[in-house]
Amino acid sequence: MTATASYIKHHLGLASRSDQLFTDDAVTSTPRPAVSPARSTTSACDLSSTRSPQASPSSSKRAVGSAGYLASDEHGTGGDMPSEGTALAALLAVMPPDDGADEQADWDAMRRAWGVGFPSDYVAFMATYGAGGIDDAFGVLTPEAATEPTYGQELGNMSGETAVMRQIWADEGGPGGINAGPEAVIAWGVSCGADILGWLTIDDDPDKWPVIVWERHGWPHWKVYDCGMAEFLRRLFAKGFDECPLSDASLWGEPSPHFLHWREEQRRLESGIDPYTGEPDPYFGMEFD
């Protein structure tokens, strides 16, 4: 299996394992797919926001708007989705793209592969930040012109995480009040709390797609937010929802989130330093049986 440190953490979370099974050095020596974003294993998730799956059933009763997604009063600020320029500009003011890089995605190939266009804020995000990690706690997936994951690279990429998201929907059912099936979701991010984030593609206009989250430690697991991905991240950093939308609260209310492109993270790992702290890796270069 090929996966970055962040995705090993993410999928160990799906398996309900929170302990560190691999050192950073062992992870660094693992082959890396070119499409996967980046995080390291040096910081632990903050699960203080976790809600128990045994929460009151009434918590699953959500107001569903006419477009099929949750009404704005359920999850913080409401109103129309910000435009691509407005949403990205607001995010840039909070999270500078100093360690980002243009992902140079082939959007025509993306459209042909997935059968849909992609939201303009995601396109702009990829041109400004690219794919990568945020504070060792969140990963934004690379745009991928393939809907089926490559054998041996099923994890930590758009096709693989979309397949996982769709399988969960097929096995457990999707969010209440949504007149759509598993094929309506496309993944764009993951958290170190084993959450998967995507779009609910229920509108012909990709800029009107709400964000859908499968929250590993939340109840109900599925939640839908009336905003695009850039605005979702901004609200996450600003505590702009009624509660933390992720199982992990590391980025909830984070005033200075740090984005790191996956190539730069890999370069730092291979140089023997922690990608986010800049501290030397004490295990770098060691061989393990």
Side-chain angles (χ1 to χ4, degrees):
M1 178 184 72
T2 58
T4 63
S6 58
Y7 290 97
I8 292 174
K9 181 188 296 185
H10 166 64
H11 286 278
L12 285 174
L14 287 174
S16 299
R17 292 296 298 268
S18 60
D19 49 321
Q20 182 174 352
L21 299 183
F22 308 99
T23 66
D24 288 349
D25 187 64
V27 171
T28 304
S29 65
T30 304
R32 176 195 183 91
V35 297
S36 57
R39 277 173 284 164
S40 72
T41 59
T42 54
S43 66
C45 284
D46 175 4
L47 297 179
S48 61
S49 69
T50 300
R51 270 79 64 191
S52 168
Q54 283 72 43
S56 170
S58 63
S59 64
S60 65
K61 296 179 181 179
R62 304 289 184 178
V64 180
S66 59
Y69 51 85
L70 296 183
S72 60
D73 61 351
E74 289 290 333
H75 288 287
T77 57
D80 295 335
M81 293 188 190
S83 67
E84 168 263 311
T86 302
L88 189 67
L91 184 61
L92 286 167
V94 178
M95 185 173 69
D98 299 344
D99 288 318
D102 185 350
E103 205 63 45
Q104 299 183 338
D106 185 338
W107 297 108
D108 288 336
M110 289 282 292
R111 180 188 290 272
R112 290 192 298 270
W114 293 91
V116 293
F118 282 78
S120 56
D121 65 335
Y122 180 69
V123 174
F125 188 100
M126 285 298 135
T128 305
Y129 295 94
I134 304 174
D135 283 351
D136 194 24
F138 192 92
V140 179
L141 304 176
T142 307
E144 187 179 8
T147 58
E148 296 296 329
T150 302
Y151 179 76
Q153 297 183 3
E154 295 89 350
L155 308 178
N157 52 65
M158 178 176 279
S159 60
E161 299 298 342
T162 296
V164 172
M165 209 173 195
R166 291 176 175 179
Q167 190 61 54
I168 292 172
W169 186 313
D171 292 344
E172 302 178 2
I178 302 298
N179 186 21
E183 298 304 310
V185 295
I186 299 176
W188 61 262
V190 297
S191 82
C192 69
D195 310 314
I196 309 176
L197 298 85
W199 297 285
L200 188 58
T201 63
I202 56 177
D203 197 287
D204 291 337
D205 182 355
D207 285 338
K208 295 182 180 178
W209 292 349
V211 168
I212 183 168
V213 178
W214 184 78
E215 189 182 355
R216 174 68 175 82
H217 296 285
W219 187 258
H221 292 304
W222 292 105
K223 299 192 177 71
V224 186
Y225 299 88
D226 60 333
C227 58
M229 62 85 68
E231 176 66 4
F232 180 92
L233 291 174
R234 187 198 67 80
R235 292 188 193 181
L236 174 66
F237 304 146
K239 288 191 173 181
F241 300 106
D242 290 342
E243 61 183 16
C244 180
L246 303 178
S247 298
D248 164 52
S250 298
L251 297 175
W252 181 236
E254 172 54 55
S256 303
H258 177 208
F259 180 87
L260 186 63
H261 192 273
W262 67 267
R263 289 190 183 91
E264 177 60 14
E265 186 215 26
Q266 188 72 2
R267 186 194 68 78
R268 295 180 187 184
L269 285 171
E270 292 172 352
S271 298
I273 62 175
D274 182 283
Y276 288 93
T277 67
E279 296 295 325
D281 177 4
Y283 300 104
F284 180 72
M286 293 184 180
E287 297 184 359
F288 300 88
D289 295 331

